[in-house]
Amino acid sequence: MEKTLNRIHPVSDPEATYFLQVSWEKDLGAGFSLLLSDCQCAWTGKVSEADISREAADIEMDREKYVEELRKALIAAEESAGKYNFVIS
């Protein structure tokens, strides 16, 4: 299992710091787990392969391109700094 941990500052509350951990088995396109924490509370979630396919179809984006955008937004935070915004609700 591979994991990444990134510090994020959501646009919804720029003074706040959150930590986002993403875990996956084979590749991100096969599904992944998320853990989001503000160091006081933690939230978890799972995204299935079917969820990824459905979301890509809903926004009419090629699935492989969608998975690449997920990788950039969730895993490759340093190379994508400033390109993606997070909103915590």
Side-chain angles (χ1 to χ4, degrees):
M1 175 175 283
E2 295 189 55
K3 293 181 184 183
T4 62
L5 180 65
N6 290 304
R7 182 184 327 216
I8 60 172
H9 300 280
V11 294
S12 55
D13 186 5
E15 299 300 314
T17 299
Y18 288 81
F19 295 90
L20 177 64
Q21 178 181 292
V22 181
S23 308
W24 66 98
E25 288 293 333
K26 300 177 216 169
D27 66 53
L28 208 58
F32 54 92
S33 297
L34 298 167
L35 182 135
L36 179 69
S37 177
D38 65 0
C39 295
Q40 293 181 19
C41 297
W43 303 269
T44 63
K46 290 188 181 246
V47 178
S48 71
E49 187 171 2
D51 293 332
I52 293 167
S53 295
R54 186 173 36 258
E55 182 67 21
D58 285 351
I59 62 172
E60 298 178 354
M61 181 183 280
D62 175 72
R63 188 181 185 288
E64 294 308 313
K65 175 145 178 58
Y66 184 70
V67 170
E68 180 60 20
E69 291 297 319
L70 282 174
R71 187 192 69 73
K72 289 177 186 174
L74 299 175
I75 296 172
E78 288 182 24
E79 76 182 53
S80 301
K83 185 175 179 184
Y84 298 93
N85 294 314
F86 294 90
V87 176
I88 308 295
S89 60

